[in-house]
Amino acid sequence: MESLFDAWGKKNPEWEKKYAELLMEPFTDYGRGTSQYTVSRGKIFGAGYEMFIIGFFIGLYFDKTRKLPDDKSKRKDFGHPIMFWGSQEGKLKLGRTSYKKIQEYMFAALVAKTDIDFISLEKGEISVNDAANSLKHKMEEYANYGFHYLEDMLEDDPNSLFKESAFLKIFTSFISEDNKKEDDIENFEEDIESFGDEELEDNAIDEETLRAEAEKPWNEDEIERLSLFFKHGMEPSKLAERLGKSLYSVQYQLSKLGLIRMPLNVTVNNTENGGTVINKSGKVIYTDDAPLKVFNDKIYRFNKKSVCMTVKDVKRVDGQWVKGDKMLVAYSDSELYPKLSSSNFIDDIEDFVEGNKREENKVKVKGVWYDYYGDVLGSKSI
């Protein structure tokens, strides 16, 4: 089945004809001619769709749309599908470079902002083409609002967009507004601090509570929607917003599906008495009489005894951090065991990688990889 991204890329967005003279002709290589706003000035953009992209991002920033007129005679298109915007396969035209990344950013934003039933899409109850058309329509309406915004600027000052860096200043003004909001937040946070440590302590975020909440089971419909949205390119933060879940919860479920690795967000400390795991709130959440190390966002327990060295994982079960399953065992007659330092051997452990099954696990010690039984793999790299 054709992907939604590819189907969307074949679309040719429409825009209002009235903006041809007002925006396209003065500022792009789309057509020729003059208007009340320009007399033979240099073009800022190349193809007309570059102005469309500017309009789209203005509309997206404000999260405002403006419907196109129902009268088809008042609309135009570029005769150039989205997938061909910008130079293709390194063939430079008019100094343009590839717009692949821009296309991906626009697509991701549209998926997040367009109401598409991905479950129905997956089941074939709605077609990929219909879903792609929904994205195109949202795209057109965002761009149309952006054109309307630029039109208002020209009405207020006919020369406003001809000034040097005019379009850059539009977007930097958005950033300035965001910074102002951040300053307001910082001032608010400073005011909050004046209430005293005791009140803040009562309202402090308990990370273990967040984790426990995140680990609550989801129903089948929620899991299916999560998988489909992620498959179609939606970021975890946007997934959390769309599904009404915490980011922790979304990350946890995605990790259970094997789609991402759950961020660990902990630190490990070792002493001569063993290891401890501390969360971001500074709370000790697990202690062990053996030293611990983190590899690939997972905690492992390395225990050296008189007869062998064993590796187990440390994981959460029913909301509690516990000692997990045996991951590797190297007996005293193995090639690995004699290579371990008699004191502070944990420093010798450089990496640990889990295979598809337990017997494929491997550990790296002093530059050499050893298998599940502690025998040399015969390579100093994976």
Side-chain angles (χ1 to χ4, degrees):
M1 183 176 73
E2 183 179 36
S3 73
L4 182 56
F5 179 80
D6 289 340
W8 169 76
K10 294 177 180 178
K11 300 300 177 183
N12 192 0
E14 294 181 309
W15 45 279
E16 287 195 60
K17 270 186 179 180
K18 69 176 184 179
Y19 293 119
E21 182 179 3
L22 185 70
L23 296 173
M24 297 296 180
E25 293 171 8
F27 300 105
T28 77
D29 284 325
Y30 179 87
R32 291 291 182 269
T34 61
S35 72
Q36 60 175 317
Y37 300 107
T38 180
V39 179
S40 187
R41 306 197 190 204
K43 308 296 183 181
I44 297 175
F45 301 109
Y49 54 73
E50 294 180 355
M51 178 60 75
F52 185 93
I53 291 170
I54 293 294
F56 169 80
F57 280 110
I58 291 174
L60 180 66
Y61 173 81
F62 287 108
D63 197 15
K64 290 185 178 180
T65 57
R66 189 177 178 88
K67 187 180 177 182
L68 291 174
D70 293 330
D71 186 350
K72 289 279 189 181
S73 66
K74 294 182 178 180
R75 303 185 196 179
K76 290 181 71 71
D77 62 48
F78 298 110
H80 207 52
I82 299 166
M83 64 190 294
F84 295 129
W85 289 5
S87 67
Q88 301 298 312
E89 298 178 356
K91 298 176 182 178
L92 298 178
K93 292 177 65 179
L94 301 177
R96 299 173 206 147
T97 56
S98 174
Y99 283 11
K100 186 68 173 178
K101 283 294 182 185
I102 293 178
Q103 293 168 19
E104 291 173 354
Y105 294 147
M106 296 174 81
F107 176 76
L110 289 168
V111 168
K113 295 291 187 178
T114 308
D115 187 15
I116 296 175
D117 187 342
F118 284 101
I119 294 177
S120 296
L121 175 62
E122 190 74 8
K123 292 179 177 179
E125 295 172 358
I126 62 173
S127 69
V128 173
N129 186 60
D130 287 343
N133 280 330
S134 295
L135 298 179
K136 181 179 83 80
H137 294 154
K138 177 68 75 172
M139 183 183 188
E140 292 167 341
E141 292 179 351
Y142 272 136
N144 202 36
Y145 175 83
F147 286 170
H148 177 70
Y149 179 89
L150 296 174
E151 181 182 27
D152 283 347
M153 287 186 64
L154 288 172
E155 287 180 358
D156 291 340
D157 178 2
N159 292 308
S160 59
L161 297 181
F162 294 102
K163 297 174 183 177
E164 186 177 359
S165 302
F167 289 91
L168 175 61
K169 288 178 180 178
I170 291 174
F171 287 98
T172 55
S173 71
F174 297 161
I175 297 172
S176 298
E177 289 177 14
D178 285 343
N179 288 340
K180 183 177 183 302
K181 292 175 184 176
E182 290 174 4
D183 290 340
D184 290 342
I185 291 171
E186 288 178 4
N187 292 335
F188 177 74
E189 289 175 344
E190 289 174 2
D191 292 339
I192 288 294
E193 289 177 3
S194 65
F195 283 99
D197 295 336
E198 184 175 345
E199 184 168 339
L200 284 175
E201 186 175 333
D202 291 339
N203 294 323
I205 296 174
D206 183 347
E207 186 165 342
E208 293 309 295
T209 299
L210 289 178
R211 284 183 180 270
E213 184 67 25
E215 291 167 5
K216 289 183 177 178
W218 289 24
N219 61 43
E220 291 183 5
D221 179 63
E222 290 173 328
I223 293 293
E224 189 172 5
R225 291 173 64 202
L226 173 72
S227 179
L228 287 173
F229 288 155
F230 186 80
K231 177 182 176 182
H232 286 284
M234 194 176 292
E235 295 293 322
S237 58
K238 293 296 183 182
L239 282 167
E241 181 181 335
R242 173 66 73 93
L243 298 173
K245 302 283 187 178
S246 71
L247 180 58
Y248 252 130
S249 185
V250 166
Q251 290 173 330
Y252 180 72
Q253 294 300 329
L254 287 173
S255 68
K256 287 184 66 177
L257 294 171
L259 298 175
I260 68 168
R261 185 181 289 276
M262 177 73 178
L264 195 53
N265 293 327
V266 300
T267 56
V268 167
N269 288 334
N270 289 312
T271 68
E272 60 182 14
N273 297 320
T276 59
V277 180
I278 303 169
N279 69 16
K280 290 182 69 176
S281 302
K283 180 180 178 181
V284 175
I285 55 177
Y286 178 80
T287 60
D288 203 297
D289 57 2
L292 309 170
K293 248 185 177 180
V294 176
F295 294 114
N296 304 309
D297 265 341
K298 192 169 181 179
I299 306 168
Y300 294 98
R301 174 186 187 271
F302 296 85
N303 189 22
K304 186 182 179 186
K305 308 174 186 177
S306 59
V307 295
C308 66
M309 191 273 286
T310 61
V311 182
K312 292 185 177 182
D313 60 353
V314 175
K315 56 189 177 183
R316 285 176 65 85
V317 177
D318 296 330
Q320 300 293 322
W321 293 86
V322 299
K323 187 190 309 180
D325 304 316
K326 185 179 291 184
M327 294 286 163
L328 182 146
V329 55
Y331 288 98
S332 57
D333 59 352
S334 68
E335 296 175 284
L336 169 58
Y337 190 86
K339 298 294 191 299
L340 297 171
S341 302
S342 57
S343 62
N344 206 26
F345 76 95
I346 192 67
D347 290 341
D348 298 337
I349 313 296
E350 298 173 349
D351 201 355
F352 189 86
V353 175
E354 292 186 41
N356 292 326
K357 54 185 179 180
R358 187 176 64 176
E359 287 72 18
E360 294 176 356
N361 294 346
K362 58 187 80 172
V363 65
K364 187 179 182 182
V365 178
K366 297 180 180 179
V368 178
W369 284 95
Y370 297 86
D371 63 17
Y372 175 82
Y373 302 102
D375 295 325
V376 176
L377 282 171
S379 173
K380 294 190 176 182
S381 61
I382 297 179

